[in-house]
mmCIF file with all atom_site columns, all heavy atoms in Angstrom:
data_model
loop_
_atom_site.group_PDB
_atom_site.id
_atom_site.type_symbol
_atom_site.label_atom_id
_atom_site.label_alt_id
_atom_site.label_comp_id
_atom_site.label_asym_id
_atom_site.label_entity_id
_atom_site.label_seq_id
_atom_site.pdbx_PDB_ins_code
_atom_site.Cartn_x
_atom_site.Cartn_y
_atom_site.Cartn_z
_atom_site.occupancy
_atom_site.B_iso_or_equiv
_atom_site.pdbx_formal_charge
_atom_site.auth_seq_id
_atom_site.auth_comp_id
_atom_site.auth_asym_id
_atom_site.auth_atom_id
_atom_site.pdbx_PDB_model_num
ATOM 1  N N   . LEU A 1 115 ? 3.614   -4.439  16.844  1.00 0.00 ? 863  LEU A N   1
ATOM 2  C CA  . LEU A 1 115 ? 4.326   -4.396  18.115  1.00 0.00 ? 863  LEU A CA  1
ATOM 3  C C   . LEU A 1 115 ? 3.427   -4.847  19.258  1.00 0.00 ? 863  LEU A C   1
ATOM 4  O O   . LEU A 1 115 ? 3.901   -5.527  20.220  1.00 0.00 ? 863  LEU A O   1
ATOM 5  C CB  . LEU A 1 115 ? 4.800   -2.958  18.338  1.00 0.00 ? 863  LEU A CB  1
ATOM 6  C CG  . LEU A 1 115 ? 5.985   -2.524  17.450  1.00 0.00 ? 863  LEU A CG  1
ATOM 7  C CD1 . LEU A 1 115 ? 6.254   -1.010  17.677  1.00 0.00 ? 863  LEU A CD1 1
ATOM 8  C CD2 . LEU A 1 115 ? 7.215   -3.324  17.627  1.00 0.00 ? 863  LEU A CD2 1
ATOM 9  N N   . GLY A 1 345 ? 13.698  6.543   0.346   1.00 0.00 ? 1093 GLY A N   1
ATOM 10 C CA  . GLY A 1 345 ? 14.565  6.759   1.464   1.00 0.00 ? 1093 GLY A CA  1
ATOM 11 C C   . GLY A 1 345 ? 16.022  6.425   1.278   1.00 0.00 ? 1093 GLY A C   1
ATOM 12 O O   . GLY A 1 345 ? 16.820  6.425   2.224   1.00 0.00 ? 1093 GLY A O   1
ATOM 13 N N   . GLY A 1 411 ? 4.406   -9.912  14.056  1.00 0.00 ? 1159 GLY A N   1
ATOM 14 C CA  . GLY A 1 411 ? 4.346   -9.698  15.477  1.00 0.00 ? 1159 GLY A CA  1
ATOM 15 C C   . GLY A 1 411 ? 4.032   -10.938 16.244  1.00 0.00 ? 1159 GLY A C   1
ATOM 16 O O   . GLY A 1 411 ? 4.645   -11.171 17.314  1.00 0.00 ? 1159 GLY A O   1
ATOM 17 N N   . ALA A 1 488 ? -21.602 14.676  -12.244 1.00 0.00 ? 1236 ALA A N   1
ATOM 18 C CA  . ALA A 1 488 ? -22.556 13.858  -12.976 1.00 0.00 ? 1236 ALA A CA  1
ATOM 19 C C   . ALA A 1 488 ? -23.898 14.546  -13.104 1.00 0.00 ? 1236 ALA A C   1
ATOM 20 O O   . ALA A 1 488 ? -24.590 14.365  -14.118 1.00 0.00 ? 1236 ALA A O   1
ATOM 21 C CB  . ALA A 1 488 ? -22.707 12.437  -12.301 1.00 0.00 ? 1236 ALA A CB  1
ATOM 22 N N   . THR A 1 492 ? -22.223 22.900  -11.284 1.00 0.00 ? 1240 THR A N   1
ATOM 23 C CA  . THR A 1 492 ? -20.873 23.579  -11.255 1.00 0.00 ? 1240 THR A CA  1
ATOM 24 C C   . THR A 1 492 ? -20.562 24.109  -9.900  1.00 0.00 ? 1240 THR A C   1
ATOM 25 O O   . THR A 1 492 ? -19.432 23.945  -9.381  1.00 0.00 ? 1240 THR A O   1
ATOM 26 C CB  . THR A 1 492 ? -20.863 24.725  -12.320 1.00 0.00 ? 1240 THR A CB  1
ATOM 27 O OG1 . THR A 1 492 ? -21.164 24.203  -13.565 1.00 0.00 ? 1240 THR A OG1 1
ATOM 28 C CG2 . THR A 1 492 ? -19.409 25.306  -12.290 1.00 0.00 ? 1240 THR A CG2 1
ATOM 29 N N   . VAL A 1 495 ? -19.603 21.308  -7.523  1.00 0.00 ? 1243 VAL A N   1
ATOM 30 C CA  . VAL A 1 495 ? -18.337 20.773  -7.886  1.00 0.00 ? 1243 VAL A CA  1
ATOM 31 C C   . VAL A 1 495 ? -17.220 21.601  -7.245  1.00 0.00 ? 1243 VAL A C   1
ATOM 32 O O   . VAL A 1 495 ? -16.320 21.059  -6.588  1.00 0.00 ? 1243 VAL A O   1
ATOM 33 C CB  . VAL A 1 495 ? -18.162 20.742  -9.426  1.00 0.00 ? 1243 VAL A CB  1
ATOM 34 C CG1 . VAL A 1 495 ? -16.702 20.445  -9.798  1.00 0.00 ? 1243 VAL A CG1 1
ATOM 35 C CG2 . VAL A 1 495 ? -19.066 19.685  -10.052 1.00 0.00 ? 1243 VAL A CG2 1
#
Side-chain angles (χ1 to χ4, degrees):
L863 290 173
T1240 304
V1243 169

